[in-house]
Amino acid sequence: MTSSVSIKDLSLNFGSVAVLENLNLEINDGEFLVLLGSSGCGKSTLLNCIAGLLDVSAGQIFIKGKNVTWEEPKDRGIGMVFQSYALYPQMSVEKNLSFGLKVAGVPQPEIDKRIARASEILQIQSLLKRKPAALSGGQRQRVAIGRALVRDVDVFLFDEPLSNLDAKLRSELRVEIKRLHQSLNNTMIYVTHDQIEALTLADRIAIMKSGIIQQLDDPTTIYNQPRNLFVAGFIGSPSMNFLHGELVEKDGKPAFATNGVTFSLDGYSALEPLKPGRQVVLGVRPEHVKVNENLGAEVHDATVDIEEPMGADNLLWLKHAGHTMSVRINGSRRFKPGTPLKLSFDMGLASLFDAKSELRL
Ligand SMILES: Nc1ncnc2c1ncn2[C@@H]1O[C@H](COP(=O)(O)OP(=O)(O)OP(=O)(O)O)[C@@H](O)[C@H]1O
Ligand SMILES: [Mg+2]
């Protein structure tokens, strides 16, 4: 696959503080790449380096094979959409869309064509004569996306474009951005701290912590095979259950022991031999525990502590082997606090980490 954006050994310092260090990232042509991480991890910094809004301290950036490290933002073939829409308040939607093109000297018939196309894609045709003050937040954000769209660029950069919107609008525009990508097939780099946005939109997710990419994979792999404890805990809500314990041997096979309870590890595909005595963390997602039915060969006892019915799902907080554990079951299945339950764990879907290095085993 050809590379659309290529970042080589990128470093960026603010004064003496290194925010990005020797970062490497290849983004494929037409790919939707999401940069995901908590506040301050360097997502916007990386995006702004790609956009040319920040001067890099070291390293190189290529867009469509061209070294753009020292090019002006306007010469990079990128369109950027920010969290704050930053529309010109005194201009109509149409003027907001055309302004940049006029400045760049694009002929009027071409401008008209591009505005017609963008406003059709974003369904803002009926809003073209209005001023931003007369638009809802979602409509304003659509205009902001439209402004990037009319520039006819190779690469779109989004920095938390939906975070100023309420939950309902956010999920609506999320679907529209996905549709936009499906119809345009441009390369999109999208920054968010919202794991749902990342999981739903991305072809691949780069999870960042302290300026370092922790894992770069498709959403399913990130969810099911997190490479380390940080990624495992960051993705999923409620978070993966983490049980601290040690590797033992049971019936001649590797097993996991915690607080006097042993778990068979049958079905777990380990990346390396599971040697007894090693301190480890067993990670189990709330939906990968069976409760009272279709139980596997090994059954564990637990008690309901708290029940959180959520409509489609029911979230149970259980007491099990001295741990509190969350378990997600179908919303129609209800259990009162104090109810004893039988559990079994699907080790094929579990994760095992070294307690010290925090890396997946
Ligand atoms: N102009 C600046 N001068 C000094 N430090 C900065 C500057 N801009 C950002 N930083 C620091 O760089 C780090 C990364 O910031 P960045 O804006 O990239 O984070 P982010 O991942 O986008 O976070 P958020 O989700 O809050 O937007 C932070 O610790 C921030 O304080
Ligand atoms: Mg940011």
Side-chain angles (χ1 to χ4, degrees):
M1 214 180 279
T2 52
S3 205
S4 176
V5 178
S6 173
I7 296 160
K8 296 194 194 298
D9 290 321
L10 181 72
S11 296
L12 186 122
N13 311 324
F14 287 117
S16 62
V17 182
V19 175
L20 303 173
E21 259 180 294
N22 294 317
L23 188 141
N24 287 283
L25 181 60
E26 298 283 330
I27 300 157
N28 299 322
D29 209 9
E31 182 170 33
F32 200 125
L33 183 104
V34 172
L35 298 173
L36 176 68
S38 43
S39 188
C41 73
K43 308 179 292 294
S44 296
T45 303
L46 176 54
L47 202 71
N48 290 337
C49 288
I50 299 171
L53 301 173
L54 284 172
D55 287 342
V56 308
S57 308
Q60 290 170 325
I61 298 168
F62 296 81
I63 296 178
K64 296 262 166 187
K66 181 176 162 213
N67 187 340
V68 297
T69 314
W70 301 107
E71 298 274 341
E72 291 293 320
K74 66 175 172 51
D75 300 326
R76 292 188 180 206
I78 48 131
M80 188 140 175
V81 182
F82 298 93
Q83 173 178 353
S84 54
Y85 335 112
L87 303 176
Y88 298 106
Q90 74 282 15
M91 293 183 191
S92 68
V93 167
E94 190 169 16
K95 285 246 170 61
N96 265 285
L97 294 174
S98 63
F99 181 72
L101 300 178
K102 280 221 171 81
V103 172
V106 177
Q108 191 61 44
E110 175 66 19
I111 294 180
D112 293 341
K113 209 174 86 196
R114 290 197 203 168
I115 289 182
R117 176 165 164 271
S119 51
E120 190 196 329
I121 291 173
L122 295 165
Q123 305 197 350
I124 50 174
Q125 296 108 315
S126 61
L127 309 174
L128 290 174
K129 301 290 172 216
R130 287 199 211 168
K131 289 196 175 151
L135 301 176
S136 72
Q139 291 166 336
R140 278 179 216 168
Q141 194 54 288
R142 260 178 242 184
V143 176
I145 295 171
R147 213 168 32 180
L149 212 56
V150 293
R151 296 200 44 230
D152 218 7
V153 293
D154 298 321
V155 180
F156 281 109
L157 308 177
F158 292 92
D159 194 349
E160 311 234 17
L162 307 183
S163 58
N164 277 350
L165 307 175
D166 67 42
K168 185 160 179 291
L169 257 181
R170 212 156 54 217
S171 54
E172 282 171 16
L173 263 189
R174 196 173 73 213
V175 175
E176 289 191 23
I177 289 177
K178 186 146 195 171
R179 193 171 291 133
L180 188 68
H181 181 246
Q182 276 173 9
S183 62
L184 296 178
N185 266 312
N186 292 47
T187 307
M188 296 193 174
I189 308 177
Y190 187 103
V191 163
T192 184
H193 60 263
D194 182 321
Q195 50 165 309
I196 301 298
E197 275 175 30
L199 290 168
T200 53
L201 290 170
D203 292 319
R204 284 191 304 165
I205 301 173
I207 298 203
M208 293 178 71
K209 181 189 166 198
S210 310
I212 294 166
I213 296 176
Q214 305 288 310
Q215 185 164 0
L216 172 64
D217 261 317
D218 64 275
T220 310
T221 306
I222 295 243
Y223 192 77
N224 290 324
Q225 281 124 35
R227 186 176 294 165
N228 61 34
L229 259 184
F230 173 81
V231 174
F234 194 86
I235 292 270
S237 175
S239 177
M240 186 183 269
N241 296 290
F242 293 125
L243 282 66
H244 292 254
E246 89 176 318
L247 289 177
V248 294
E249 204 178 82
K250 192 184 172 189
D251 308 328
K253 286 190 285 189
F256 168 80
T258 180
N259 296 340
V261 178
T262 309
F263 296 68
S264 153
L265 291 173
D266 278 358
Y268 185 75
S269 316
L271 301 171
E272 54 186 286
L274 299 176
K275 296 217 178 76
R278 195 165 184 178
Q279 299 298 305
V280 294
V281 179
L282 177 69
V284 180
R285 293 223 179 265
E287 62 273 28
H288 295 157
V289 182
K290 291 177 187 151
V291 175
N292 279 2
E293 49 184 39
N294 306 318
L295 296 171
E298 187 181 80
V299 173
H300 294 251
D301 289 305
T303 317
V304 179
D305 188 18
I306 291 179
E307 189 191 25
E308 286 188 287
M310 297 180 162
D313 298 334
N314 190 5
L315 193 65
L316 301 178
W317 295 89
L318 309 178
K319 291 278 181 212
H320 166 265
H323 299 279
T324 300
M325 172 176 279
S326 64
V327 170
R328 195 197 303 276
I329 57 174
N330 191 287
S332 62
R333 301 179 67 204
R334 304 291 301 271
F335 296 99
K336 289 203 170 62
T339 309
L341 300 175
K342 299 283 183 203
L343 310 179
S344 67
F345 297 85
D346 188 344
M347 284 304 160
L349 298 170
S351 292
L352 205 54
F353 304 98
D354 183 274
K356 210 186 256 153
S357 72
E358 303 194 344
L359 294 175
R360 185 181 189 86
L361 292 177

